[in-house]
Amino acid sequence: MKTIKIGVLGLGTVGSGVVRLLQDNAQKITDITGCELKVKTVVVRDVTAPRNVDLTGIELTDDFNKVLLDDEIQIVVEVMGTIETARTYIKQLLAKHKHVVTANKDLIALHGPELSALAKENHCDLFYEASVAGGIPILRTIVNSFAADQVESVLGIVNGTTNFILTQMTQNGLSYAQALQLAQEKGFAEADPTNDVAGKDAAYKMIILTQFAFGKDLTLTDVKLEGIENVAVEDIKEAANLGYTIKLLGIADLKNDKLDVSVGPVLIPAKNPLAAIQNENNAVLVTGKAVGETMFYGSGAGELPTANSVLSDIIAVTKDIVMETTGNRFNSYSNNVALAPASEVIYPYYLSLTLPDRPGQMLKLTEIMAKHQASFKAIKQTSASHKQAQIALVTHAMSEATLNAVKEELKALPEMELLAAYKVLGGNER
Amino acid sequence: MKTIKIGVLGLGTVGSGVVRLLQDNAQKITDITGCELKVKTVVVRDVTAPRNVDLTGIELTDDFNKVLLDDEIQIVVEVMGTIETARTYIKQLLAKHKHVVTANKDLIALHGPELSALAKENHCDLFYEASVAGGIPILRTIVNSFAADQVESVLGIVNGTTNFILTQMTQNGLSYAQALQLAQEKGFAEADPTNDVAGKDAAYKMIILTQFAFGKDLTLTDVKLEGIENVAVEDIKEAANLGYTIKLLGIADLKNDKLDVSVGPVLIPAKNPLAAIQNENNAVLVTGKAVGETMFYGSGAGELPTANSVLSDIIAVTKDIVMETTGNRFNSYSNNVALAPASEVIYPYYLSLTLPDRPGQMLKLTEIMAKHQASFKAIKQTSASHKQAQIALVTHAMSEATLNAVKEELKALPEMELLAAYKVLGGNER
């Protein structure tokens, strides 16, 4: 029987999970692939650190060359989690004709096209199923099952940290700060949570999803980005009164052959399956012209779910090695579609703002909106204090350009402050 | 550019969808596969019947030999929907080294192992993603993403007709007969709905899912089967009071290395994502030891969703033709696990029964249950009329053997009648 030797870069949570799953499920993997898969070498920064995984028969080293220069090693798993070092290493590995599996979303979002081209050039596989939505096999599903369909939209709850925080705020009335602290205590948020709460992590994942679903390469600046730091419990309650749940949602939407990609707090109707996704779980709702609405739900992170996605990539590489079909891109769909201008991105919005609690202010707000052809279907004073009133309103569908104009005009008025402007799903946006 | 010619057997809903999608998405398919895919010949029973699909450049014939004997045709799509004729045709096609894609669940559930072996023998692909859960790409997902994991259970709402009927009974209080009639009016149920409402269609799908998830070939008699014909609105209401929704659920569950597969009405806790699957939609919840709970949701039927799954198979075959890797089994996992005896299948049960409305009857029932070591955690009289009381109770987890013993004993008592005995999920069953 053929034995395929594997190198692993990094032995943190995911790396340990990969070693463990390969040991635990060796027989099934052999049954399916006809090969024995063996981790030969693991590269770590500190070889003396204690490890909670059985490393019998595996060389632990801090020398990357032990993997790079070992001709026996055919597949390398990169789970270090840096960007530049990982990029350098992977380029060297591909140049040595080693197949690479990575869970590194930042790297793939920033340098995916470069690395994919290099892999193809060297007849190598480069797979990264684990980079998006942990245990949910969403990338390979898009490749295999939407090939003959036209994806119309991808909506993703793809960041477990922010979904945990918003769930806690919604269900238990915690403030943002309290919910963040709880997430940190439970290990769902890092000490510096910026990348998660500011939406950057979700934006990286949406870049990768957009590449697969629409064949379009984006950079981070193409993604309109807003985090959850300013989401107030009052907005969550008001949204609930209106029949919505606030989620940090990645949206990639193709309309009139133009693409719009954003990450931000969104009001989701309670009957939408995404509204029910709780805590650290992830879900991706893909709408295809033929297939309609499909949703894929599962654990967004964690040692074993993520490691399982890495394993599915390792097995895909192994099959390709056996059949001598390596070197095909993970996603071969490419379509240089244009990005939608702000005038063509149409949604209803939830607005929350403060204004002086005196006659004439509502009229003034209404006049500002009317001037830009913006109108609302519901408006409500939600609280009043210190001569300030807080109001919430839901607009009719309007363009992002209109929203921006209203925002500008409000910014110029010292007495009014716009606290929130969130998209509302399930209205006229489709 | 390479052109791959396709034959289609049957031009009903799915067949028309396949022809349409291949026309509509020709460019994208060519971009991805590097091949032009063209339907050359369609075999139908009646060539004179009106068709609502563009057949320009396609030969319409009632002669199967026009496909079988045409050396240009490499892939044949079977969407006729019979069993024996389809089986005969597919065997002949495979013998002629033609790759076959089918949506025929009955055929695959009954003759899948035979046909898969024949395909492999002839170095042909035989794919059937559309046979289970219409547009949900569940089979290929299990093959690709659970290869290195151990599936613990597969729970499926895999029959749209029964889910529509139960949803209407739950949400609108319709009787079974009224809901069935509505389903027939809307085209979700056939004139003779037996296969759907008796659970046979779901059982076929569970046989296929079990083959993929657990590597085990089953026959229909291995699946414990109960339909929805006897589900009463009263049971649905009582289940709702207890916090459950009644769904026709396929369960394939591996515990202590023994497998149990059943289809029947099941009480699902409201917080379980399966409880939210409405009307004709399907969902499959797969729990893996490593990956945890994942759910795949989408349209269970319909022209384009099902056709899209057929297309994903056609594209998979095309890739295999290009890479010269045809002839590998759709699912290569095989594991001859034993079926669990009734004494090892443990669930809490919802029981509904009628008994005479006079003192001592509850005691008698309790004594019967106690005699078999069955106990309950809740019991309630739900109605009384004509000196008959109807009661509902939820038992503690107990074996199917115990349930069967209690059933036998109740059957012997003319004054008590057991109306329903449904599994309850989310208790001690795992």
Side-chain angles (χ1 to χ4, degrees):
Chain A
M1 186 171 48
K2 193 167 181 155
T3 298
I4 289 180
K5 300 221 167 141
I6 298 169
V8 178
L9 311 181
L11 197 59
T13 314
V14 181
S16 303
V18 169
V19 172
R20 200 188 314 276
L21 281 185
L22 275 169
Q23 290 163 347
D24 289 355
N25 300 313
Q27 187 58 51
K28 185 178 175 192
I29 293 167
T30 298
D31 288 348
I32 287 174
T33 61
C35 299
E36 190 187 18
L37 301 188
K38 267 198 118 48
V39 174
K40 184 179 183 190
T41 310
V42 177
V43 182
V44 294
R45 253 180 312 206
D46 178 5
V47 293
T48 65
R51 306 287 170 184
N52 63 352
V53 62
D54 180 9
L55 296 173
T56 312
I58 298 174
E59 184 181 15
L60 196 67
T61 174
D62 56 8
D63 180 6
F64 170 60
N65 284 323
K66 285 275 174 71
V67 166
L68 181 68
L69 304 178
D70 186 336
D71 288 340
E72 269 195 358
I73 293 177
Q74 292 183 270
I75 304 174
V76 179
V77 176
E78 184 278 303
V79 282
M80 306 185 301
T82 61
I83 299 180
E84 274 315 314
T85 311
R87 181 186 180 196
T88 309
Y89 283 5
I90 289 176
K91 286 165 82 168
Q92 291 179 273
L93 290 163
L94 293 172
K96 288 268 180 200
H97 306 293
K98 293 190 192 302
H99 310 289
V100 174
V101 172
T102 174
N104 195 330
K105 74 190 149 301
D106 307 31
L107 175 72
I108 294 299
L110 294 171
H111 304 293
E114 173 201 32
L115 295 175
S116 292
L118 193 62
K120 196 172 162 59
E121 210 179 294
N122 287 286
H123 306 288
C124 284
D125 282 352
L126 172 67
F127 293 151
Y128 39 91
E129 179 66 73
S131 66
V132 177
I136 309 175
I138 185 67
L139 298 183
R140 199 161 269 115
T141 297
I142 293 177
V143 168
N144 289 327
S145 303
F146 289 85
D149 199 355
Q150 295 167 34
V151 178
E152 295 180 333
S153 69
V154 177
L155 305 184
I157 295 174
V158 288
N159 180 272
T161 308
T162 48
N163 201 50
F164 178 85
I165 292 171
L166 292 175
T167 302
Q168 291 300 320
M169 291 172 73
T170 304
Q171 292 186 343
N172 303 326
L174 300 192
S175 70
Y176 169 73
Q178 289 168 327
L180 172 58
Q181 196 188 334
L182 183 63
Q184 286 169 325
E185 283 165 16
K186 285 186 170 275
F188 294 143
E190 294 176 49
D192 175 1
T194 316
N195 258 11
D196 290 316
V197 299
K200 200 171 162 188
D201 174 88
Y204 281 144
K205 289 165 180 166
M206 290 309 295
I207 288 174
I208 300 172
L209 283 169
T210 299
Q211 218 281 314
F212 277 64
F214 301 100
K216 170 80 175 176
D217 292 330
L218 298 180
T219 61
L220 198 53
T221 51
D222 295 323
V223 182
K224 293 161 196 163
L225 188 56
E226 182 175 357
I228 64 160
E229 306 97 319
N230 297 321
V231 175
V233 173
E234 290 70 33
D235 293 319
I236 290 177
K237 283 184 185 152
E238 198 45 42
N241 287 339
L242 295 162
Y244 296 94
T245 305
I246 298 185
K247 298 280 185 192
L248 183 78
L249 194 70
I251 302 181
D253 192 61
L254 186 70
K255 219 170 275 130
N256 306 322
D257 282 328
K258 285 173 197 152
L259 186 68
D260 185 62
V261 183
S262 64
V263 168
V266 171
L267 274 70
I268 300 178
K271 64 171 197 290
N272 186 306
L274 289 170
I277 309 304
Q278 307 294 349
N279 290 319
E280 73 278 17
N281 289 306
N282 280 196
V284 182
L285 197 150
V286 185
T287 303
K289 193 177 171 191
V291 84
E293 219 174 62
T294 59
M295 191 178 85
F296 307 90
Y297 156 88
S299 183
E303 174 186 332
L304 292 180
T306 309
N308 185 57
S309 285
V310 171
L311 263 284
S312 70
D313 282 347
I314 292 175
I315 287 174
V317 176
T318 301
K319 287 181 176 173
D320 285 346
I321 290 174
V322 170
M323 298 192 289
E324 300 178 355
T325 55
T326 59
N328 290 290
R329 292 181 77 123
F330 193 5
N331 173 40
S332 59
Y333 179 45
S334 171
N335 183 20
N336 196 19
V337 65
L339 294 179
S343 60
E344 294 182 28
V345 178
I346 314 284
Y347 287 90
Y349 283 88
Y350 166 88
L351 305 181
S352 160
L353 30 74
T354 56
L355 38 72
D357 192 7
R358 59 170 190 259
Q361 294 302 306
M362 284 286 210
L363 174 64
K364 198 163 175 182
L365 174 64
T366 310
E367 282 172 349
I368 290 172
M369 291 186 64
K371 182 176 152 194
H372 298 282
Q373 276 86 48
S375 62
F376 50 83
K377 52 184 168 189
I379 185 161
K380 184 177 166 188
Q381 179 165 328
T382 53
S383 69
S385 61
H386 304 295
K387 301 183 178 171
Q388 286 280 91
Q390 185 163 336
I391 65 161
L393 59 89
V394 176
T395 73
H396 285 115
M398 61 187 199
S399 75
E400 206 167 83
T402 300
L403 176 71
N404 291 339
V406 171
K407 273 184 178 176
E408 278 305 307
E409 186 132 354
L410 288 174
K411 212 178 271 175
L413 291 180
E415 71 271 27
M416 291 194 191
E417 189 189 357
L418 184 65
L419 303 172
Y422 302 147
K423 290 186 176 85
V424 179
L425 273 200
N428 303 345
E429 83 282 3
R430 172 115 255 150
Chain B
M1 188 171 50
K2 193 168 181 153
T3 298
I4 289 181
K5 301 222 167 139
I6 297 170
V8 178
L9 311 182
L11 198 59
T13 314
V14 181
S16 303
V18 169
V19 172
R20 200 187 315 275
L21 281 185
L22 275 169
Q23 289 163 346
D24 289 355
N25 299 313
Q27 188 57 50
K28 185 178 175 191
I29 293 168
T30 298
D31 289 348
I32 286 175
T33 60
C35 300
E36 190 187 16
L37 301 188
K38 267 198 119 49
V39 175
K40 184 179 180 189
T41 309
V42 177
V43 182
V44 294
R45 251 182 310 205
D46 178 5
V47 293
T48 64
R51 308 286 170 183
N52 62 352
V53 62
D54 179 9
L55 295 173
T56 312
I58 297 174
E59 183 181 15
L60 196 67
T61 172
D62 55 9
D63 180 6
F64 170 60
N65 284 325
K66 285 275 173 71
V67 166
L68 181 68
L69 303 177
D70 186 336
D71 288 340
E72 267 195 356
I73 293 178
Q74 290 183 272
I75 304 174
V76 179
V77 176
E78 183 279 302
V79 282
M80 305 186 301
T82 62
I83 299 181
E84 274 314 314
T85 312
R87 182 187 178 195
T88 308
Y89 282 5
I90 290 177
K91 285 165 82 168
Q92 290 180 272
L93 290 163
L94 292 172
K96 288 268 182 203
H97 306 293
K98 295 192 192 301
H99 310 288
V100 174
V101 172
T102 173
N104 195 330
K105 74 191 150 298
D106 307 31
L107 175 72
I108 294 298
L110 294 171
H111 304 292
E114 173 201 32
L115 296 175
S116 292
L118 193 63
K120 195 173 161 59
E121 211 178 293
N122 287 287
H123 306 288
C124 285
D125 282 353
L126 172 67
F127 293 150
Y128 39 92
E129 179 66 71
S131 65
V132 177
I136 309 175
I138 186 65
L139 298 183
R140 200 161 267 115
T141 297
I142 293 177
V143 169
N144 290 326
S145 303
F146 288 84
D149 200 354
Q150 295 167 34
V151 177
E152 295 179 334
S153 69
V154 176
L155 306 183
I157 295 174
V158 288
N159 180 273
T161 309
T162 48
N163 201 50
F164 178 85
I165 292 171
L166 292 175
T167 302
Q168 292 300 320
M169 291 173 72
T170 304
Q171 291 186 344
N172 303 327
L174 300 192
S175 70
Y176 170 73
Q178 289 168 326
L180 172 59
Q181 196 189 335
L182 182 64
Q184 284 169 326
E185 283 164 18
K186 284 186 171 272
F188 294 144
E190 294 175 49
D192 175 1
T194 315
N195 258 10
D196 289 316
V197 298
K200 201 170 163 191
D201 174 89
Y204 281 145
K205 290 165 181 167
M206 291 308 295
I207 288 174
I208 300 172
L209 283 169
T210 299
Q211 217 280 313
F212 277 64
F214 301 100
K216 170 82 176 175
D217 292 331
L218 298 180
T219 61
L220 197 54
T221 51
D222 295 323
V223 182
K224 292 160 196 164
L225 188 55
E226 182 174 357
I228 63 162
E229 305 98 320
N230 297 320
V231 175
V233 173
E234 291 69 33
D235 293 320
I236 289 176
K237 284 185 185 150
E238 198 44 43
N241 287 339
L242 295 162
Y244 296 94
T245 305
I246 297 184
K247 297 281 185 192
L248 183 78
L249 193 70
I251 302 181
D253 192 61
L254 186 71
K255 219 170 277 131
N256 305 322
D257 283 327
K258 285 175 197 151
L259 187 67
D260 185 62
V261 183
S262 64
V263 168
V266 171
L267 273 70
I268 299 177
K271 65 171 197 290
N272 186 308
L274 289 170
I277 309 305
Q278 307 293 349
N279 290 318
E280 73 278 17
N281 289 305
N282 280 196
V284 182
L285 197 149
V286 185
T287 302
K289 194 177 170 192
V291 83
E293 219 174 63
T294 59
M295 192 178 84
F296 307 91
Y297 157 89
S299 183
E303 172 186 336
L304 292 180
T306 308
N308 186 58
S309 286
V310 171
L311 263 283
S312 70
D313 282 347
I314 293 175
I315 288 176
V317 176
T318 302
K319 286 181 177 174
D320 285 346
I321 291 173
V322 171
M323 298 192 290
E324 300 179 354
T325 56
T326 58
N328 289 290
R329 292 181 77 122
F330 193 6
N331 172 41
S332 59
Y333 178 45
S334 170
N335 182 21
N336 195 17
V337 66
L339 294 179
S343 60
E344 293 182 28
V345 178
I346 314 285
Y347 287 90
Y349 283 87
Y350 166 88
L351 305 181
S352 161
L353 30 75
T354 56
L355 37 73
D357 192 7
R358 59 171 189 257
Q361 294 302 307
M362 284 284 210
L363 175 63
K364 198 163 175 183
L365 174 64
T366 312
E367 281 171 350
I368 290 171
M369 291 186 64
K371 182 176 153 194
H372 297 284
Q373 275 88 48
S375 61
F376 51 83
K377 51 186 170 190
I379 186 163
K380 185 179 164 187
Q381 179 165 329
T382 53
S383 69
S385 62
H386 306 295
K387 302 185 178 172
Q388 284 280 90
Q390 185 162 338
I391 64 161
L393 58 89
V394 176
T395 74
H396 285 116
M398 62 188 200
S399 75
E400 207 167 83
T402 299
L403 176 70
N404 291 338
V406 170
K407 275 184 175 173
E408 277 306 305
E409 186 131 357
L410 288 173
K411 212 178 273 173
L413 290 181
E415 71 269 29
M416 293 194 190
E417 190 189 359
L418 185 64
L419 304 172
Y422 302 148
K423 291 188 175 83
V424 179
L425 273 200
N428 304 345
E429 82 282 3
R430 175 111 253 150

